[in-house]
Amino acid sequence: MVARNPAQWQGQNTAGEPWQQALQTVISDGHELLRRLGIDPQALPIDHEQPFPLRVPRAFVARMQAARADDPLLRQVLPLLAEATQQPGFSRDPLAEAAAEPVPGLIHKYHGRVLLIVTGHCAIHCRYCFRRHFPYAARQPSRAEWSRAFDYIRHDASISEVILSGGDPLSAPDRHLAWLIGEIEAIPQVSRLRIHSRLPVVIPTRITAALSALLADSRLLVSLVIHANHARELDDSLAAALAPLRRAGVTLLNQSVLLAGVNDQVEVLSELSERLFAIGVLPYYLHLLDHVAGAAHFAVPEERVQVLQAALLARLPGYLVPRLVREVAHAASKMPVFPPVRP
Ligand SMILES: *Cc1c(COP(=O)(O)O)cnc(C)c1O
Ligand code: SF4
Protein backbone atom coordinates (compact mmCIF):
# COMPACT_ATOMS: atom_id res chain seq x y z
CA MET A 1 0.00 0.00 0.00
CA VAL A 2 1.25 3.47 -0.80
CA ALA A 3 1.95 5.63 2.20
CA ARG A 4 0.18 8.94 2.08
CA ASN A 5 0.63 12.02 4.13
CA PRO A 6 -2.33 12.29 6.56
CA ALA A 7 -2.56 16.02 5.85
CA GLN A 8 -3.16 15.12 2.20
CA TRP A 9 -5.73 12.39 2.63
CA GLN A 10 -7.59 14.55 5.00
CA GLY A 11 -8.20 16.89 2.11
CA GLN A 12 -9.59 19.46 4.51
CA ASN A 13 -8.31 21.60 7.28
CA THR A 14 -9.82 20.66 10.66
CA ALA A 15 -8.02 23.52 12.41
CA GLY A 16 -10.91 25.99 12.36
CA GLU A 17 -13.79 23.52 12.37
CA PRO A 18 -16.42 24.06 15.10
CA TRP A 19 -15.99 21.43 17.81
CA GLN A 20 -19.55 20.11 17.58
CA GLN A 21 -18.97 19.35 13.92
CA ALA A 22 -15.66 17.68 14.74
CA LEU A 23 -17.52 15.49 17.25
CA GLN A 24 -20.04 14.45 14.63
CA THR A 25 -17.38 13.38 12.18
CA VAL A 26 -15.17 11.27 14.45
CA ILE A 27 -13.76 8.13 12.86
CA SER A 28 -15.28 4.95 14.24
CA ASP A 29 -14.32 2.37 11.64
CA GLY A 30 -10.96 0.67 12.15
CA HIS A 31 -10.44 -0.25 8.53
CA GLU A 32 -11.20 3.29 7.41
CA LEU A 33 -8.67 4.64 9.90
CA LEU A 34 -5.95 2.26 8.70
CA ARG A 35 -6.77 2.92 5.07
CA ARG A 36 -6.45 6.67 5.61
CA LEU A 37 -3.07 6.14 7.26
CA GLY A 38 -1.89 3.83 4.50
CA ILE A 39 -1.53 0.82 6.82
CA ASP A 40 -2.39 -2.70 5.69
CA PRO A 41 -5.32 -3.94 7.87
CA GLN A 42 -3.78 -7.44 7.70
CA ALA A 43 -0.83 -6.09 9.68
CA LEU A 44 -2.95 -5.04 12.67
CA PRO A 45 -5.69 -7.41 13.92
CA ILE A 46 -8.57 -5.13 14.96
CA ASP A 47 -11.42 -6.15 17.25
CA HIS A 48 -14.56 -4.96 15.47
CA GLU A 49 -16.90 -6.37 18.14
CA GLN A 50 -15.55 -4.10 20.89
CA PRO A 51 -18.23 -2.96 23.38
CA PHE A 52 -15.97 0.12 23.89
CA PRO A 53 -15.69 0.97 20.21
CA LEU A 54 -13.10 2.90 18.24
CA ARG A 55 -13.70 6.64 18.39
CA VAL A 56 -11.16 9.26 17.30
CA PRO A 57 -11.51 12.86 16.06
CA ARG A 58 -9.93 13.64 12.70
CA ALA A 59 -7.84 16.46 14.18
CA PHE A 60 -6.11 13.80 16.29
CA VAL A 61 -5.72 11.39 13.36
CA ALA A 62 -4.05 14.21 11.41
CA ARG A 63 -1.17 14.09 13.92
CA MET A 64 -0.53 10.38 13.36
CA GLN A 65 2.29 9.28 11.08
CA ALA A 66 1.36 7.65 7.80
CA ALA A 67 2.27 3.99 7.28
CA ARG A 68 3.38 3.47 10.88
CA ALA A 69 1.57 0.60 12.57
CA ASP A 70 3.47 1.43 15.78
CA ASP A 71 2.51 5.12 15.82
CA PRO A 72 2.11 6.15 19.49
CA LEU A 73 -1.10 8.07 18.82
CA LEU A 74 -2.66 5.28 16.78
CA ARG A 75 -1.81 2.79 19.51
CA GLN A 76 -3.84 4.79 22.03
CA VAL A 77 -7.07 4.44 20.06
CA LEU A 78 -6.99 1.28 17.94
CA PRO A 79 -8.97 -1.63 19.46
CA LEU A 80 -6.66 -4.62 19.01
CA LEU A 81 -7.77 -8.22 19.33
CA ALA A 82 -5.25 -8.48 22.20
CA GLU A 83 -7.74 -6.56 24.37
CA ALA A 84 -10.13 -9.47 24.41
CA THR A 85 -7.60 -11.71 26.18
CA GLN A 86 -8.37 -12.02 29.90
CA GLN A 87 -5.36 -11.20 32.09
CA PRO A 88 -5.16 -12.09 35.78
CA GLY A 89 -5.26 -8.98 37.99
CA PHE A 90 -7.04 -6.81 35.40
CA SER A 91 -10.65 -6.10 36.39
CA ARG A 92 -13.61 -3.97 35.32
CA ASP A 93 -13.62 -1.51 38.25
CA PRO A 94 -10.00 -1.52 39.48
CA LEU A 95 -10.44 1.62 41.60
CA ALA A 96 -13.67 0.56 43.31
CA GLU A 97 -15.08 4.01 42.49
CA ALA A 98 -18.59 2.67 42.75
CA ALA A 99 -18.09 2.60 46.54
CA ALA A 100 -17.29 6.34 46.77
CA GLU A 101 -20.41 7.78 45.14
CA PRO A 102 -22.62 9.16 47.96
CA VAL A 103 -25.11 10.74 45.53
CA PRO A 104 -25.48 10.03 41.80
CA GLY A 105 -22.77 11.71 39.73
CA LEU A 106 -20.60 12.78 42.68
CA ILE A 107 -17.46 10.90 43.75
CA HIS A 108 -15.98 11.85 47.10
CA LYS A 109 -12.79 9.92 47.69
CA TYR A 110 -10.25 12.50 48.86
CA HIS A 111 -10.33 15.19 51.53
CA GLY A 112 -11.62 18.57 50.42
CA ARG A 113 -12.27 17.61 46.80
CA VAL A 114 -15.27 16.12 45.06
CA LEU A 115 -15.46 14.98 41.49
CA LEU A 116 -18.61 15.47 39.40
CA ILE A 117 -19.30 13.10 36.51
CA VAL A 118 -20.63 15.79 34.19
CA THR A 119 -21.25 13.48 31.24
CA GLY A 120 -20.50 9.93 30.19
CA HIS A 121 -19.39 10.93 26.73
CA CYS A 122 -15.86 11.32 25.39
CA ALA A 123 -14.61 12.70 22.09
CA ILE A 124 -12.01 9.96 21.91
CA HIS A 125 -11.94 6.43 23.28
CA CYS A 126 -8.57 5.73 24.90
CA ARG A 127 -7.91 2.02 25.05
CA TYR A 128 -6.21 2.23 28.46
CA CYS A 129 -9.08 4.12 30.14
CA PHE A 130 -10.11 2.73 33.52
CA ARG A 131 -13.63 4.00 32.95
CA ARG A 132 -14.08 1.99 29.77
CA HIS A 133 -16.52 -0.45 31.39
CA PHE A 134 -18.67 2.16 33.16
CA PRO A 135 -22.25 2.70 31.97
CA TYR A 136 -21.99 6.45 32.62
CA ALA A 137 -24.08 7.52 29.67
CA ALA A 138 -26.94 5.43 31.02
CA ARG A 139 -27.19 7.27 34.33
CA GLN A 140 -26.48 10.89 33.57
CA PRO A 141 -28.06 13.09 36.24
CA SER A 142 -30.70 15.62 35.20
CA ARG A 143 -30.60 19.20 36.50
CA ALA A 144 -33.02 18.28 39.28
CA GLU A 145 -30.84 15.31 40.27
CA TRP A 146 -27.74 17.53 40.32
CA SER A 147 -29.35 19.50 43.15
CA ARG A 148 -28.61 16.52 45.42
CA ALA A 149 -24.92 16.83 44.54
CA PHE A 150 -24.94 20.58 45.25
CA ASP A 151 -26.68 19.96 48.60
CA TYR A 152 -24.08 17.36 49.46
CA ILE A 153 -21.27 19.87 48.81
CA ARG A 154 -23.06 22.69 50.64
CA HIS A 155 -23.39 20.53 53.76
CA ASP A 156 -19.73 19.53 53.94
CA ALA A 157 -17.67 22.52 55.03
CA SER A 158 -14.43 20.68 54.24
CA ILE A 159 -15.07 20.71 50.49
CA SER A 160 -13.17 23.59 48.88
CA GLU A 161 -12.61 22.21 45.38
CA VAL A 162 -14.97 20.83 42.78
CA ILE A 163 -13.57 18.82 39.88
CA LEU A 164 -15.52 18.45 36.66
CA SER A 165 -14.81 15.05 35.18
CA GLY A 166 -16.52 12.32 33.17
CA GLY A 167 -16.39 10.94 30.58
CA ASP A 168 -15.15 14.23 29.27
CA PRO A 169 -16.81 17.25 30.94
CA LEU A 170 -16.02 19.49 27.97
CA SER A 171 -18.16 17.30 25.71
CA ALA A 172 -21.06 19.09 27.44
CA PRO A 173 -22.20 22.31 25.74
CA ASP A 174 -21.04 25.69 27.08
CA ARG A 175 -24.52 26.62 28.31
CA HIS A 176 -24.70 23.47 30.47
CA LEU A 177 -21.23 24.17 31.86
CA ALA A 178 -22.22 27.78 32.56
CA TRP A 179 -25.22 26.56 34.55
CA LEU A 180 -23.18 23.98 36.44
CA ILE A 181 -20.37 26.41 37.27
CA GLY A 182 -22.92 29.02 38.35
CA GLU A 183 -24.41 26.53 40.82
CA ILE A 184 -20.95 25.68 42.16
CA GLU A 185 -20.06 29.38 42.53
CA ALA A 186 -23.15 29.79 44.68
CA ILE A 187 -21.72 27.42 47.31
CA PRO A 188 -19.77 29.75 49.60
CA GLN A 189 -16.95 27.52 50.86
CA VAL A 190 -15.92 26.30 47.40
CA SER A 191 -12.92 28.33 46.21
CA ARG A 192 -11.44 26.19 43.47
CA LEU A 193 -12.78 24.70 40.26
CA ARG A 194 -10.85 22.13 38.28
CA ILE A 195 -11.68 20.68 34.88
CA HIS A 196 -10.14 17.40 33.76
CA SER A 197 -10.50 17.07 30.01
CA ARG A 198 -8.85 15.48 27.00
CA LEU A 199 -10.95 17.52 24.57
CA PRO A 200 -8.62 20.53 24.24
CA VAL A 201 -5.91 18.13 23.02
CA VAL A 202 -8.01 16.09 20.61
CA ILE A 203 -10.25 18.94 19.34
CA PRO A 204 -8.55 22.27 20.16
CA THR A 205 -11.50 24.32 18.84
CA ARG A 206 -13.39 23.10 21.93
CA ILE A 207 -11.83 26.04 23.76
CA THR A 208 -14.39 28.50 22.48
CA ALA A 209 -14.44 32.22 23.25
CA ALA A 210 -17.54 31.56 25.38
CA LEU A 211 -15.73 28.90 27.41
CA SER A 212 -12.69 31.14 27.94
CA ALA A 213 -14.95 33.98 29.06
CA LEU A 214 -16.86 31.69 31.40
CA LEU A 215 -13.67 30.57 33.14
CA ALA A 216 -12.12 34.06 33.10
CA ASP A 217 -15.20 35.58 34.76
CA SER A 218 -15.60 32.96 37.48
CA ARG A 219 -15.06 33.98 41.11
CA LEU A 220 -13.39 30.56 41.55
CA LEU A 221 -9.68 29.84 41.05
CA VAL A 222 -9.79 27.74 37.93
CA SER A 223 -7.41 25.05 36.72
CA LEU A 224 -7.63 22.95 33.60
CA VAL A 225 -5.91 19.58 33.55
CA ILE A 226 -5.44 18.43 29.99
CA HIS A 227 -4.48 14.88 29.11
CA ALA A 228 -1.68 14.18 26.64
CA ASN A 229 0.67 11.21 26.59
CA HIS A 230 3.04 12.14 23.77
CA ALA A 231 4.57 15.40 22.49
CA ARG A 232 3.12 14.82 19.03
CA GLU A 233 -0.38 15.30 20.48
CA LEU A 234 0.49 18.92 21.26
CA ASP A 235 0.36 20.90 18.04
CA ASP A 236 0.26 24.62 17.35
CA SER A 237 -3.53 24.74 17.20
CA LEU A 238 -3.60 23.56 20.83
CA ALA A 239 -1.00 26.16 21.82
CA ALA A 240 -3.15 28.87 20.20
CA ALA A 241 -6.34 27.57 21.82
CA LEU A 242 -4.79 27.59 25.30
CA ALA A 243 -3.40 31.13 25.04
CA PRO A 244 -6.62 32.95 26.06
CA LEU A 245 -6.97 30.68 29.09
CA ARG A 246 -3.44 31.50 30.19
CA ARG A 247 -4.17 35.20 29.81
CA ALA A 248 -7.30 34.70 31.91
CA GLY A 249 -5.19 33.26 34.74
CA VAL A 250 -6.34 29.65 34.40
CA THR A 251 -3.70 27.26 35.76
CA LEU A 252 -2.85 24.74 33.05
CA LEU A 253 -1.67 21.26 34.02
CA ASN A 254 -1.26 17.95 32.23
CA GLN A 255 -1.72 14.38 33.27
CA SER A 256 -0.43 11.38 31.37
CA VAL A 257 -0.56 7.64 31.68
CA LEU A 258 2.63 5.61 31.33
CA LEU A 259 1.92 3.31 28.38
CA ALA A 260 4.07 0.61 26.84
CA GLY A 261 4.72 1.38 23.18
CA VAL A 262 3.49 4.98 23.55
CA ASN A 263 5.68 6.85 26.03
CA ASP A 264 7.80 4.33 27.95
CA GLN A 265 11.08 5.94 26.81
CA VAL A 266 12.95 8.65 28.66
CA GLU A 267 13.37 10.70 25.46
CA VAL A 268 9.63 10.60 24.79
CA LEU A 269 8.72 11.62 28.34
CA SER A 270 11.30 14.43 28.40
CA GLU A 271 10.10 15.76 25.08
CA LEU A 272 6.51 15.66 26.34
CA SER A 273 7.41 17.70 29.44
CA GLU A 274 9.41 20.24 27.46
CA ARG A 275 6.73 20.63 24.83
CA LEU A 276 4.06 21.06 27.51
CA PHE A 277 6.06 23.81 29.16
CA ALA A 278 6.58 25.52 25.81
CA ILE A 279 2.82 25.84 25.39
CA GLY A 280 2.26 27.02 28.97
CA VAL A 281 1.29 23.74 30.64
CA LEU A 282 3.02 22.13 33.63
CA PRO A 283 3.29 18.34 33.95
CA TYR A 284 1.19 17.27 36.96
CA TYR A 285 0.74 13.50 37.18
CA LEU A 286 2.20 10.54 35.35
CA HIS A 287 -0.16 7.72 36.23
CA LEU A 288 0.78 4.09 36.29
CA LEU A 289 -1.71 2.12 34.25
CA ASP A 290 -4.87 1.13 36.12
CA HIS A 291 -5.30 -2.60 35.84
CA VAL A 292 -8.49 -2.46 33.85
CA ALA A 293 -9.53 -5.46 31.76
CA GLY A 294 -8.48 -4.98 28.12
CA ALA A 295 -5.43 -2.77 28.82
CA ALA A 296 -2.84 -5.36 29.89
CA HIS A 297 -0.78 -4.83 26.73
CA PHE A 298 -0.02 -1.25 27.90
CA ALA A 299 1.53 -2.32 31.22
CA VAL A 300 5.14 -1.29 31.86
CA PRO A 301 7.14 -3.64 34.15
CA GLU A 302 7.95 -2.24 37.61
CA GLU A 303 11.76 -2.32 37.09
CA ARG A 304 11.38 -0.35 33.88
CA VAL A 305 9.19 2.25 35.66
CA GLN A 306 11.95 2.84 38.18
CA VAL A 307 14.65 3.17 35.54
CA LEU A 308 12.52 5.69 33.63
CA GLN A 309 11.75 7.73 36.68
CA ALA A 310 15.37 7.92 37.81
CA ALA A 311 16.40 8.95 34.28
CA LEU A 312 13.76 11.69 34.14
CA LEU A 313 14.82 13.10 37.50
CA ALA A 314 18.44 13.12 36.40
CA ARG A 315 17.60 14.90 33.18
CA LEU A 316 14.91 17.52 33.74
CA PRO A 317 14.39 20.46 36.08
CA GLY A 318 12.23 19.37 39.01
CA TYR A 319 9.18 21.31 37.81
CA LEU A 320 9.14 19.36 34.55
CA VAL A 321 9.10 15.95 36.23
CA PRO A 322 5.49 14.82 36.69
CA ARG A 323 4.57 13.12 39.97
CA LEU A 324 4.57 9.40 39.30
CA VAL A 325 1.50 7.98 41.01
CA ARG A 326 -0.68 4.95 41.16
CA GLU A 327 -4.33 4.74 42.17
CA VAL A 328 -4.98 2.49 45.11
CA ALA A 329 -8.59 1.69 45.94
CA HIS A 330 -9.65 3.22 49.30
CA ALA A 331 -6.36 5.14 49.81
CA ALA A 332 -6.43 8.78 51.04
CA SER A 333 -4.72 10.10 47.90
CA LYS A 334 -3.13 8.93 44.72
CA MET A 335 -0.05 7.02 45.84
CA PRO A 336 3.37 8.44 44.96
CA VAL A 337 5.79 5.90 43.51
CA PHE A 338 9.29 6.72 44.69
CA PRO A 339 12.47 5.71 42.89
CA PRO A 340 14.84 3.53 44.90
CA VAL A 341 17.58 5.52 46.64
CA ARG A 342 21.00 4.89 45.10
CA PRO A 343 23.59 7.11 46.77
C1 LIG B 1 -7.69 12.00 41.04
C2 LIG B 1 -8.92 12.28 41.80
C3 LIG B 1 -9.09 13.50 42.47
C4 LIG B 1 -8.05 14.58 42.46
O1 LIG B 1 -6.89 14.21 43.12
P1 LIG B 1 -5.68 15.26 43.16
O2 LIG B 1 -4.59 14.52 43.84
O3 LIG B 1 -6.17 16.44 43.90
O4 LIG B 1 -5.36 15.60 41.76
C5 LIG B 1 -10.24 13.68 43.21
N1 LIG B 1 -11.21 12.74 43.25
C6 LIG B 1 -11.07 11.56 42.62
C7 LIG B 1 -12.14 10.54 42.75
C8 LIG B 1 -9.92 11.29 41.87
O5 LIG B 1 -9.81 10.14 41.22
S1 SF4 C 1 -12.32 9.42 30.19
FE1 SF4 C 1 -10.44 10.35 29.36
S2 SF4 C 1 -8.99 8.61 29.18
FE2 SF4 C 1 -11.07 7.76 29.33
S3 SF4 C 1 -11.76 7.47 27.22
FE3 SF4 C 1 -12.52 9.47 27.93
S4 SF4 C 1 -10.95 10.91 27.24
FE4 SF4 C 1 -10.01 8.88 27.16
Side-chain angles (χ1 to χ4, degrees):
M1 216 178 259
V2 182
R4 280 162 298 172
N5 177 345
Q8 281 168 357
W9 60 252
Q10 227 180 340
Q12 54 197 301
N13 185 2
T14 55
E17 184 182 41
W19 68 277
Q20 297 91 339
Q21 190 177 318
L23 270 186
Q24 277 159 14
T25 55
V26 292
I27 293 174
S28 53
D29 179 82
H31 279 159
E32 182 193 349
L33 176 59
L34 294 183
R35 198 173 55 245
R36 286 177 170 225
L37 291 168
I39 296 169
D40 181 357
Q42 306 293 329
L44 277 178
I46 301 176
D47 186 353
H48 292 281
E49 306 296 310
Q50 254 299 327
F52 183 63
L54 169 73
R55 182 173 168 82
V56 57
R58 288 168 304 136
F60 194 76
V61 176
R63 298 172 215 155
M64 295 176 183
Q65 305 161 99
R68 287 291 298 266
D70 62 348
D71 180 85
L73 277 57
L74 176 63
R75 211 175 141 78
Q76 292 178 50
V77 300
L78 196 68
L80 297 176
L81 271 180
E83 290 184 16
T85 318
Q86 288 288 330
Q87 295 286 348
F90 284 74
S91 70
R92 293 171 70 84
D93 181 10
L95 308 186
E97 273 203 340
E101 193 175 359
V103 301
L106 181 148
I107 298 177
H108 192 183
K109 231 164 108 173
Y110 301 143
H111 178 83
R113 291 149 286 173
V114 294
L115 191 150
L116 300 184
I117 306 290
V118 174
T119 159
H121 298 286
C122 291
I124 184 168
H125 284 173
C126 313
R127 306 319 302 171
Y128 51 84
C129 181
F130 77 93
R131 298 206 164 117
R132 54 183 291 166
H133 302 290
F134 281 31
Y136 280 133
R139 49 158 213 210
Q140 223 164 297
S142 64
R143 283 197 180 191
E145 285 162 338
W146 274 124
S147 65
R148 288 185 62 195
F150 303 139
D151 285 342
Y152 179 92
I153 301 170
R154 203 172 285 115
H155 289 112
D156 184 339
S158 74
I159 298 171
S160 54
E161 178 166 1
V162 176
I163 302 171
L164 306 185
S165 183
D168 196 313
L170 292 186
S171 59
D174 287 338
R175 60 186 149 67
H176 184 63
L177 294 171
W179 171 78
L180 204 55
I181 292 172
E183 295 290 320
I184 296 164
E185 285 168 340
I187 305 173
Q189 88 277 16
V190 176
S191 57
R192 295 187 307 277
L193 173 76
R194 195 189 325 174
I195 301 175
H196 275 254
S197 172
R198 189 144 162 71
L199 249 156
V201 171
V202 302
I203 305 177
T205 53
R206 175 60 189 98
I207 303 178
T208 56
L211 180 64
S212 296
L214 178 65
L215 301 182
D217 295 344
S218 177
R219 73 158 183 88
L220 303 166
L221 294 165
V222 183
S223 42
L224 170 67
V225 184
I226 62 168
H227 175 174
N229 301 310
H230 193 285
R232 201 171 311 111
E233 295 174 42
L234 309 169
D235 70 359
D236 293 343
S237 62
L238 174 64
L242 291 176
L245 294 180
R246 285 180 75 189
R247 283 196 296 273
V250 173
T251 299
L252 300 175
L253 302 168
N254 179 65
Q255 60 172 349
S256 311
V257 181
L258 185 62
L259 299 166
V262 173
N263 58 11
D264 58 340
Q265 306 277 342
V266 68
E267 294 76 20
V268 173
L269 290 171
S270 312
E271 200 190 338
L272 173 61
S273 278
E274 286 174 352
R275 177 70 185 143
L276 283 166
F277 190 68
I279 64 170
V281 183
L282 279 173
Y284 180 33
Y285 280 139
L286 175 59
H287 292 266
L288 294 191
L289 182 74
D290 296 313
H291 283 191
V292 60
H297 57 295
F298 285 118
V300 178
E302 193 85 14
E303 318 79 69
R304 174 111 190 103
V305 171
Q306 298 194 337
V307 168
L308 281 170
Q309 201 195 8
L312 270 188
L313 285 164
R315 186 168 172 144
L316 290 173
Y319 61 90
L320 290 188
V321 181
R323 295 165 184 77
L324 183 68
V325 289
R326 93 171 77 232
E327 288 264 8
V328 177
H330 315 298
S333 72
K334 300 188 201 301
M335 282 294 139
V337 181
F338 294 109
V341 179
R342 287 201 195 85

